[in-house]
Amino acid sequence: MLSRRRTDKMRVVKINLGQEWDRSSILVHSLYRTLSTLGSQILKSPSLVSLDHPDDWSQSHAFRHPGGSASPSQKRSEKETARIIDGKSVAEEIRLRIAIEVSRMKESIGKVPSLGVILVGERRDSLAYVRNKIAACKEVGFKFSLNHLPENCREDEICDKLSRMNEDPSVHGILVQLPLPQNLDNEKILNMLSIEKDVDGFHPQNMGNLAIQGKEPLFIPCTPKGCIELLLRSDVEIMGKKAVMIGRSNIVGLPMFLLLQRHHATVTIVHAFSNNPDVVAREADILIAAAGVPNLVRGTWLKPGAVVVDVGTNPIEDEESEHGYRLIGDVCFEEAVRVASAITPVPGGVGPMTVAMLLFNTLQAAKRALRSFLVFNEKFFLWGKMCESLVIRCKSRFPKLHFWGVKA
């Protein structure tokens, strides 16, 4: 009789264990699914791997049109002006969607994305960029930490800060505000970044994966990603079009070139040593300017009907402005607007999109980190939930027993 009762009790306990395990498992997988769906509908940009197609020359335009003749230039009337691609409104829409996702994340798992920034020196433009990023993080509900170091700081101080943030699980994304002072080794510092937290997308492995067909970088650099998003949202066809990239910096020019070719554009880079840059630019269906030279691209550089994306943000003195200066782009807007079919303004074009893409990358980093945490700790989480539930039941059944830290 005693043996039978003991067996019955063991069966009850076993059933209870199974029920608690099932409940906890359902909870974990529910959280995982929530993280997996967050942010899936924010951008129009597809994954790069989904764009990869083998080069089938039998289907190419070169065979359908012998000689590869270019399409004729669009004729535009003198009164017709370019459509303005409003990056500010697009960025606001993206930030709103990110804020909604952050709210859902906080409600479902009690966590929000966190961005850590390292700023070295007192450059006026860098300070302004960081202020904008702090404001954007607060707007969407991110946590934000700023490590502001003096211009004469040593590399090992920066590396120590990076190492701490790399190891801190509460920091999901890390940003080193560029450019750094000339006495610092950019490559060494950027290589210190954990690739899982490199939300700027400048880690060599991220850049390498951007260049290789069939590979997907964890993060795409923010400004090029924002430019592509603007083109897609403006219904600009990229595949097969001639794109000219003016400028070849590691921050914009090079990753923009790689990203355009992943979207199957025929891409040419123009740089300071290029011969006849205006002639090359006039071949572009899509022209992206990121040289850092005010009004470099004139109206005569553009093919009628071209789409122009102006990445340049050049401060020039303006006594009438509140800050004593105003921003102009690398493209002479007044001339280009009469030739192009669409153009991004400065300010209000690419700049807001860069910040929006930084927020998006940080959200993705947080999702990835929290999903990994759930998978790695699932068994511990399940056992903890199950044991906690059993202790609560035992306490309710045996109230005279004391269980530390558990309330019935």
Side-chain angles (χ1 to χ4, degrees), residues 121-191:
E122 302 292 335
R123 279 181 61 114
R124 185 171 63 179
D125 55 348
S126 292
L127 290 170
Y129 294 149
V130 169
R131 280 197 302 270
N132 291 340
K133 290 164 185 174
I134 292 174
C137 284
K138 290 180 179 178
E139 178 187 340
V140 299
F142 284 12
K143 290 183 178 179
F144 187 95
S145 61
L146 174 62
N147 296 275
H148 193 174
L149 301 173
E151 189 165 356
N152 60 353
C153 71
R154 302 187 310 275
E155 279 183 10
D156 58 351
E157 294 180 69
I158 300 175
C159 291
D160 180 63
K161 295 284 187 184
L162 280 176
S163 180
R164 290 174 183 271
M165 286 194 287
N166 281 340
E167 296 172 2
D168 186 351
S170 68
V171 176
H172 303 122
I174 302 173
L175 165 70
V176 178
Q177 183 63 46
L178 300 177
L180 293 170
Q182 292 183 353
N183 61 305
L184 299 174
D185 186 343
N186 281 23
E187 184 177 356
K188 177 183 176 182
I189 291 170
L190 292 178
N191 283 344

Side-chain angles (χ1 to χ4, degrees), residues 9-36:
K9 287 182 179 180
M10 290 176 65
R11 286 176 182 168
V12 171
V13 170
K14 188 174 182 180
I15 291 171
N16 288 338
L17 284 171
Q19 290 174 345
E20 293 305 324
W21 182 276
D22 289 341
R23 290 194 192 99
S24 300
S25 181
I26 290 170
L27 176 59
V28 169
H29 288 290
S30 174
L31 294 176
Y32 190 91
R33 284 195 301 273
T34 299
L35 287 171
S36 298

